[in-house]
Amino acid sequence: MTRLAIGGATALLIIASSGWVLPGLVVATGVFVGVRMWQRRDRSTNNVDQTDALASWIESLRDVLIAGDQPIGAIASTVSTSPTLIRPHVRRLSAGLGRQEPDVVFRRFADDIDDPLGDLVAAGLLIAVQRGARTVAVLTSLAEQARHQADRRRIVDAERAPMQREVGMLTLIMGSLIVGLLVFGRADYLRPYETSGGQIFLTVVIAIYAVLLLRVQRLARYPKPSRFLTTAVVERRATATREMHS
């Protein structure tokens, strides 16, 4: 709602001050997308914190399994002690086991984590539940991998931080110049843009400019790794089964 309000206010300000509808809408769309990207600026840090939390939970789960508990019981017993950041996901996982197919429950847990490491954890626990296998060694390896991955992400974030600040400042300055020009610009060289053809040309130029700025912002972000365990596979399988029986 915040980005929608800011984008709408920008459009109304430009249209009210200049009467240029199309450029105002294009700039408002760019502002909307820019605010959304700004609101997501802390996602990388949250991913690092989530990786640490996942590693702590894996270590706790491993210790319970070493004590002799079964995977389902171990998951249930670690709900209250799991890190706050992933506790809702662990609670949902524990509640789903025994009520639904483990394949669906663990894939949903992987979707909640939304990280390749979460896919590995879900896949290892799924094998343990379905085949009764002990996964102490696997969980130990996953915990070490999670710690290492969190450390690597911190290093990458620290290296990218200066570039991200520069891109953010560039986007803010150039975006402010465009909005200021459309709101306060009354020079003679802007009069040709008041015609229909001028409006269309100005709209195209601003749209290209906005796309380039957003593209630069996207390049400055940490690329999200691809995942392999999702509920979409189960849903497609269920759909195919229903079609075969129908």
Side-chain angles (χ1 to χ4, degrees), residues 7-208:
T10 303
L12 292 176
L13 178 62
I14 294 175
I15 294 173
S17 58
S18 65
W20 295 352
V21 178
L22 289 179
L25 294 178
V26 172
V27 173
T29 303
V31 169
F32 174 86
V33 177
V35 172
R36 183 180 63 179
M37 297 178 70
W38 175 258
Q39 290 175 337
R40 295 179 178 180
R41 67 192 183 279
D42 294 330
R43 177 167 294 183
S44 177
T45 303
N46 292 336
N47 287 340
V48 174
D49 294 339
Q50 179 178 267
T51 302
D52 275 333
L54 191 59
S56 298
W57 178 66
I58 294 170
E59 292 168 346
S60 176
L61 187 61
R62 176 202 58 195
D63 295 340
V64 175
L65 287 174
I66 291 176
D69 205 344
Q70 296 299 316
I72 295 180
I75 293 172
S77 63
T78 57
V79 171
S80 59
T81 58
S82 59
T84 305
L85 191 60
I86 63 171
R87 187 174 301 168
H89 308 325
V90 178
R91 183 180 294 111
R92 186 181 182 188
L93 171 64
S94 177
L97 291 173
R99 300 179 182 178
Q100 296 177 302
E101 290 293 329
D103 190 23
V104 176
V105 177
F106 280 108
R107 287 178 183 273
R108 186 182 299 121
F109 173 74
D111 284 344
D112 290 339
I113 299 297
D114 194 23
D115 188 273
L117 183 62
D119 292 355
L120 291 175
V121 174
L125 292 176
L126 176 60
I127 294 174
V129 170
Q130 290 182 333
R131 301 183 182 179
R134 292 298 181 90
T135 56
V136 173
V138 175
L139 291 178
T140 300
S141 176
L142 287 174
E144 294 175 354
Q145 180 179 346
R147 298 295 186 191
H148 178 71
Q149 184 173 334
D151 292 339
R152 291 299 303 169
R153 287 188 179 182
R154 288 191 181 93
I155 294 174
V156 172
D157 288 344
E159 293 175 347
R160 286 174 172 262
M163 179 175 62
Q164 290 175 341
R165 285 195 296 268
E166 292 175 1
V167 170
M169 289 300 298
L170 175 65
T171 303
L172 179 62
I173 293 172
M174 302 308 295
S176 300
L177 287 176
I178 293 177
V179 174
L181 178 65
L182 295 178
V183 173
F184 302 106
R186 291 296 179 270
D188 292 339
Y189 68 88
L190 292 179
R191 290 179 181 174
Y193 296 112
E194 296 179 356
T195 64
S196 299
Q199 289 282 289
I200 296 175
F201 177 79
L202 183 60
T203 299
V204 173
V205 171
I206 293 177
I208 295 175

